[in-house]
Amino acid sequence: MSPAVWPRDNPLSERLLHVDPRLGRLRDARIADLPALLEPGDLLVVNDGATLPASLQGATGRGAAVEVRLIGELSEGRYSALLFGAGDWHARTEDRPAPPALGPGDALTFGDDLSATVERVSSASPRLVEIAFRERGAPLWSALYRRGRPIQYAYVAAPLEIWHTQTRYAGRPLCAELPSAGRPLVWGLLLELIRRGVGVASLTHAAGISSTGEPALDALLPLPERFEIPEETVAAVREARACGRRVVAVGTTVTRALEGCAAQNGGELRAGPGVTDLVLHPGFRPRVVDGLLTGVHDPTESHFRLLEAFAPAPLLHRANAYAEQAGYLCHEFGDSYLVLS
């Protein structure tokens, strides 16, 4: 399936394939049709995390070129990160050279206003490290936005700016990459959903990276990720379920936050911060989420198998075959599936 190589001008015209697991039916639609596919009382939950300028080009203390991709904040000024050798997004991730050998205490410099120290190298791969920035607070955030770029991949046509990788409702900058399922949800569409009686609630989930360039490391994705669920969202979920209505997650990040929280609390959704290492898989039985709005992905990608928690594999493969034949586009600027009975 062909990737979308650039954000499109009119998200409402982007294609949306409704996959109905109960009836085994596919319906071709547009993002603008989403209000008609949901019902009054249904609840749509979005991830309001903003995307960081998480790609930093720098050098080691010995002068070797290195790209650092921030994965997630561990504590103030400390991040888990992924390392690459010389090069940039023009090369496919899997073709990038290995990073220079680094160990605890080694320095990384990204300019005269931003530097870090390696604190730990993962036993899983020398690409995966924990770093601590020398700067803290406002100086750190200012330097990150001066020096950093959004993470992007070789199929995109040109360098992305940070505004290309934000949802309309983005808040705190916690995401390594764009929570892309929510990208086409423009304000007019959200207001139309609310006008029709569909609830809209939010949570914050620190979406991580989607590719490391190393198969063994890719197999560990997604890594543990932080989330925070507001009391208002918990109340909205409870009300929807009490009324027999559907909870629809916008993206796997929202699904992981809701289902990860419930799994940690005996099936009960609770407000507050947390960390989830939940991996959705074909045998997973959701306790909170009834359906999923998600981007189109190729069956060879791990994301595709996550959808089997919500629909049987034969139906999903039929949906993918139809989408490919019909010219749907994939990846973060691509078209969408609504998997919902």
Side-chain angles (χ1 to χ4, degrees):
M1 193 177 300
S2 298
V5 299
W6 194 251
R8 286 167 282 177
D9 292 335
N10 183 10
L12 293 177
S13 68
E14 293 177 17
R15 305 186 72 174
L16 173 66
L17 185 62
H18 180 202
V19 181
D20 187 329
R22 183 171 61 87
L23 298 179
R25 188 171 62 190
L26 307 177
R27 177 183 173 185
D28 204 7
R30 300 282 173 177
I31 286 292
D33 300 320
L34 184 61
L37 297 173
L38 300 180
E39 298 175 356
D42 287 345
L43 179 67
L44 193 72
V45 185
V46 303
N47 178 7
D48 66 8
T51 309
L52 286 161
S55 171
L56 296 165
Q57 292 285 345
T60 68
R62 301 178 185 88
V66 64
E67 180 190 357
V68 175
R69 295 183 179 179
L70 304 179
I71 299 174
E73 188 178 32
L74 301 171
S75 60
E76 184 182 4
R78 297 180 60 250
Y79 284 82
S80 56
L82 182 69
L83 304 180
F84 291 93
D88 60 19
W89 62 272
H90 289 93
R92 296 189 311 161
T93 308
E94 57 268 33
D95 296 334
R96 292 287 298 276
L102 294 172
D106 283 342
L108 297 165
T109 303
F110 310 103
D112 57 8
D113 57 352
L114 186 63
S115 61
T117 301
V118 176
E119 291 192 329
R120 179 177 174 271
V121 178
S122 172
S123 60
S125 169
R127 289 182 185 265
L128 189 60
V129 298
E130 294 177 5
I131 65 173
F133 286 102
R134 180 184 63 190
E135 298 75 17
R136 291 288 191 275
L140 171 58
W141 287 105
S142 295
L144 283 176
Y145 277 85
R146 280 193 301 272
R147 299 291 180 180
R149 304 283 297 186
I151 292 172
Q152 70 175 85
Y153 296 98
Y155 52 79
V156 179
L160 294 171
E161 301 295 343
I162 193 66
W163 55 81
H164 291 132
T165 62
Q166 307 298 339
T167 59
R168 270 68 175 181
Y169 41 80
R172 288 178 289 170
L174 294 174
C175 299
E177 295 185 10
L178 166 67
S180 56
R183 178 194 50 77
L185 300 184
V186 297
W187 284 114
L189 180 65
L190 293 170
L191 292 172
E192 177 63 14
L193 286 164
I194 293 169
R195 189 187 70 80
R196 292 188 181 216
V198 176
V200 178
S202 66
L203 56 79
T204 306
H205 182 106
I209 55 172
S210 58
S211 178
T212 69
E214 184 177 305
L217 200 49
D218 280 348
L220 301 179
L221 299 179
L223 300 172
E225 293 166 350
R226 297 165 56 196
F227 65 85
E228 186 166 350
I229 305 176
E231 191 68 62
E232 296 83 359
T233 298
V234 172
V237 169
R238 288 174 179 165
E239 180 179 358
R241 298 193 69 80
C243 296
R245 307 316 299 163
R246 300 171 296 183
V247 176
V248 181
V250 178
T252 54
T253 60
V254 172
T255 308
R256 291 186 74 222
L258 292 173
E259 296 293 344
C261 177
Q264 293 167 10
N265 294 288
E268 180 183 358
L269 196 61
R270 295 183 183 175
V275 175
T276 181
D277 59 0
L278 176 68
V279 177
L280 303 173
H281 55 83
F284 180 79
R285 298 179 64 85
R287 304 189 195 190
V288 180
V289 176
D290 301 296
L292 181 65
L293 177 68
T294 185
V296 174
H297 292 266
D298 191 272
T300 59
E301 297 178 46
S302 59
H303 184 280
F304 187 84
R305 285 185 57 78
L306 306 183
L307 300 183
E308 292 183 39
F310 295 91
L315 177 60
L316 291 171
H317 283 281
R318 183 156 61 90
N320 187 76
Y322 172 80
E324 185 167 14
Q325 184 274 332
Y328 276 64
L329 300 176
C330 63
H331 293 312
E332 71 263 43
F333 300 121
D335 296 307
S336 301
Y337 288 155
L338 175 65
V339 184
L340 181 67
S341 295

